[in-house]
């Protein structure tokens, strides 16, 4: 009887074989990540990164909440280039005034 209870408890605590955990859409945490989720595309911003680097006058393209990547264009310094930054590495963003 004891073995049967142990087997039942193990079955209740185990995931079905082969089932993979679904990645959380909200794994990208923090103020900047939350702002990027709602930021309108084509918005011009300045990025203030951890370590003190500043990236100025880039245009927001999109944000991927699955891997925390934020995509920006740099039309002035490197036309046609794309900057990809982990939103968790951005300490602040400045939204450019029109």
């Amino acid at each position: 009887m004891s073995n049967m209870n142990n087997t039942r408890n193990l079955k209740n605590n185990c995931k079905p074989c082969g089932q993979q955990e679904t990645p959380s859409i909200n794994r990208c945490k923090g103020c900047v990540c939350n702002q990027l989720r709602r930021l309108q595309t084509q918005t011009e911003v300045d990025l203030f990164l951890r370590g003190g680097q500043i990236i100025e006058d880039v245009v927001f393209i999109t944000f991927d909440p699955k891997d925390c990547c934020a995509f920006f264009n740099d039309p002035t310094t490197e036309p046609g280039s794309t900057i990809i930054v982990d939103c968790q590495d951005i300490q602040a963003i400045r939204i450019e005034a029109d």
Side-chain angles (χ1 to χ4, degrees):
M1 184 80 163
S2 161
N3 266 350
M4 184 180 267
N5 285 338
N6 287 341
T7 303
R8 186 178 307 142
N9 287 339
L10 286 173
K11 286 182 181 178
N12 290 336
N13 293 328
C14 294
K15 292 181 183 180
C17 293
Q19 180 180 358
Q20 294 183 2
E21 191 172 318
T22 306
S24 172
I25 296 278
N26 293 322
R27 81 170 195 83
C28 308
K29 306 244 185 245
C31 171
V32 172
C33 298
N34 290 335
Q35 292 301 312
L36 290 171
R37 281 185 182 90
R38 298 187 304 249
L39 189 62
Q40 185 174 356
T41 59
Q42 300 303 311
T43 301
E44 188 173 329
V45 298
D46 295 334
L47 306 175
F48 299 85
L49 306 179
R50 294 189 194 287
Q53 185 178 4
I54 301 171
I55 302 174
E56 295 183 290
D57 303 324
V58 293
V59 178
F60 176 66
I61 302 171
T62 191
F63 174 67
D64 186 344
K66 290 181 232 156
D67 62 9
C68 305
C69 289
F71 296 79
F72 302 88
N73 278 334
D74 187 349
T76 307
T77 308
E78 292 286 331
S81 66
T82 301
I83 299 169
I84 305 166
V85 183
D86 188 313
C87 69
Q88 298 171 118
D89 291 332
I90 304 171
Q91 288 188 318
I93 57 174
R94 177 187 299 136
I95 298 172
E96 299 282 332
D98 289 335

